[in-house]
Amino acid sequence: MPSLIRQVHLLLTDPKYFWLLAVLVVFGDAILSELIIRFISYTEIDWETYMIQVELYLKGERDYSKISGPTGPLVYPAGHVYIFRLLHDITDAGRNIRFAQHLYALLYVVSVSLTSAIYGKAGNIPNWLLLILPLSKRLHSLYMLRLFNDCWSVVAVQAAILAFQNEMDDIGTLLFSAALSVKMSILLYLPGLLVILVKRNGLVYTMRKMFNIFGIQAMLAYPFLREDWHAYVHSSFDFSRVFLYKWTVNWRMVPEDTFLSQGWARGLMVGHLSLLILFGLSRWCKQDGGVWVVLDRTLRRPTLPAGIVPVTPDYVATVMFTSNLIGLVFARSLHYQFYSWYAQSIPFLVWRTKYPVLLRLLLIGTIEYAWNVYPSTTISSSALLGANALVLAGVWFATA
């Protein structure tokens, strides 16, 4: 028995066994996912709408303003249409829900695998933190029991982050653009990605990569842009979209008239941009001599790297995850499926703070709690905002 205890202790704490534990976690979560599909009922939310929208596309409709379903119009970029056209074809026009659930279970397992790989590549993460990944009730639900399209964009951007960690920028660019072609929310990662690329490769290189990303968007969207470019852009990348108050997870403590007001929306945008600028000025370029030094090198030597300190895999993951979390904190509204956008990055970011271990675990638990309260309440929304803000503050002070 002492020998077994020692082996378990090594598995949970020794970095040499990180990947072994990761394999066990992924395998165990795959089994858990299968049990969830078998014993917990599926809930129809948007899957039927996705299928009806695809059927309109298959009938030849290319005008985004004329593609709609039971829960509303098509408001996602072209990549979403192509993914769900494939799912439409292989799930008997969406009627084979059980097969679709198994496909999503596979997608979920890929997501856990990519998350583990990002953690492992970044380093300085305790092995046992991987055990937290399978514990999210809400995340399993979003994949296997709700079949949301967010899951596809999340997996693509996770693969992109791993590629950027490995300095495979061409693959990372392709994957990032694929993620963006499903959900415009991937733009929340873009400020962090710009910093990484400029520091590592310079301004000219970064501009080429941005051209590639948005060029791929245009190529995928060409059939819709040719039909009515305004309808496509307005539907897929509508930054002025007003969300319904009854679905908000993060702002239940705010009165509905304030929540719907343009002043509130502008205030959140200012807060978002301000915090990004603060991280850019004070944290993300600190080790390179400060942001002004980096900007000076960027403009004087646009074809050369602007950073001095190597861009490490840990830096890539931390900056990308932080950039995304800043956007989520100031999001005009978060719906339940949006938890997938950052659920698996929270343990990583919490472990980049210097908080006591008990407080770190409490923050992870509080965020999970808030996303499982339905409908949201003043208490759950306040807890979510406070926990997210504390994670950001912890990352801020840890990199001081």
Side-chain angles (χ1 to χ4, degrees), residues 10-307:
L10 289 174
L11 183 65
L12 296 177
T13 60
D14 192 330
K16 292 189 300 184
Y17 296 97
F18 180 91
W19 298 108
L20 174 58
L21 183 60
V23 170
L24 294 175
V25 167
V26 170
F27 182 73
D29 213 352
I31 296 174
L32 176 60
S33 299
E34 177 61 31
L35 293 173
I36 289 172
I37 292 172
R38 180 166 299 186
F39 294 108
I40 302 180
S41 300
Y42 162 79
T43 301
E44 171 57 45
I45 298 180
D46 282 339
W47 175 260
E48 181 184 0
T49 292
Y50 298 158
M51 293 298 108
I52 291 174
Q53 291 170 348
V54 165
E55 287 170 1
L56 290 173
Y57 167 80
L58 291 173
K59 291 176 181 178
E61 185 59 71
R62 297 296 182 269
D63 185 341
Y64 251 54
S65 65
K66 298 178 181 178
I67 302 177
S68 188
T71 60
L74 178 57
V75 292
Y76 311 115
H80 159 87
V81 176
Y82 302 138
I83 289 173
F84 281 88
R85 176 191 174 165
L86 174 61
L87 293 174
H88 178 277
D89 291 344
I90 63 179
T91 61
D92 188 22
R95 288 184 286 269
N96 193 341
I97 297 294
R98 182 55 61 91
F99 183 52
Q101 287 182 282
H102 282 102
L103 290 174
Y104 267 80
L106 177 60
L107 185 68
Y108 172 77
V109 170
V110 171
S111 179
V112 176
S113 302
L114 289 170
T115 301
S116 301
I118 291 170
Y119 283 24
K121 187 67 179 178
N124 197 27
I125 291 288
N127 299 9
W128 60 265
L129 195 64
L130 295 175
L131 298 176
I132 292 178
L133 295 179
L135 299 183
S136 175
K137 174 184 175 183
R138 176 62 67 185
L139 195 59
H140 283 96
S141 172
L142 297 177
Y143 277 82
M144 276 76 75
L145 303 179
R146 304 295 190 272
L147 309 182
F148 283 115
N149 68 336
D150 305 73
C151 306
W152 296 92
S153 64
V154 168
V155 170
V157 81
Q158 288 173 336
I161 292 171
L162 185 61
F164 287 124
Q165 283 183 307
N166 287 281
E167 301 186 33
M168 301 165 64
D169 290 354
D170 290 337
I171 295 176
T173 299
L174 181 62
L175 290 166
F176 188 89
S177 194
L180 182 58
S181 77
V182 180
K183 297 281 288 193
M184 64 174 279
S185 59
I186 299 302
L187 289 172
L188 297 179
Y189 289 96
L190 191 59
L193 179 59
L194 288 171
V195 172
I196 290 164
L197 292 178
V198 169
K199 284 183 58 176
R200 187 156 66 190
N201 298 106
L203 180 61
V204 173
Y205 178 92
T206 301
M207 291 176 65
R208 287 205 307 267
K209 293 304 174 190
M210 293 303 105
F211 178 81
N212 291 341
I213 287 173
F214 293 106
I216 292 171
Q217 299 304 304
M219 181 178 65
L220 291 171
Y222 177 72
F224 307 104
L225 293 172
R226 184 179 58 182
E227 180 69 26
D228 188 336
W229 70 268
H230 182 267
Y232 177 80
V233 173
H234 177 72
S235 297
S236 301
F237 297 94
D238 182 7
F239 294 96
S240 62
R241 187 176 302 149
V242 178
F243 294 95
L244 295 176
Y245 183 70
K246 69 177 182 178
W247 295 118
T248 188
V249 178
N250 56 329
W251 297 121
R252 186 66 63 185
M253 77 291 282
V254 176
E256 185 171 4
D257 56 344
T258 300
F259 174 85
L260 296 173
S261 70
Q262 286 301 309
W264 176 253
R266 286 192 291 269
L268 291 173
M269 179 63 72
V270 170
H272 182 190
L273 294 176
S274 298
L275 196 53
L276 281 174
I277 291 170
L278 285 173
F279 266 90
L281 291 175
S282 302
R283 294 298 180 264
W284 290 342
C285 298
K286 185 177 179 64
Q287 291 185 314
D288 298 282
V291 68
W292 304 116
V293 176
V294 172
L295 287 174
D296 178 63
R297 283 195 295 269
T298 300
L299 297 175
R300 284 192 300 105
R301 306 182 305 171
T303 61
L304 298 176

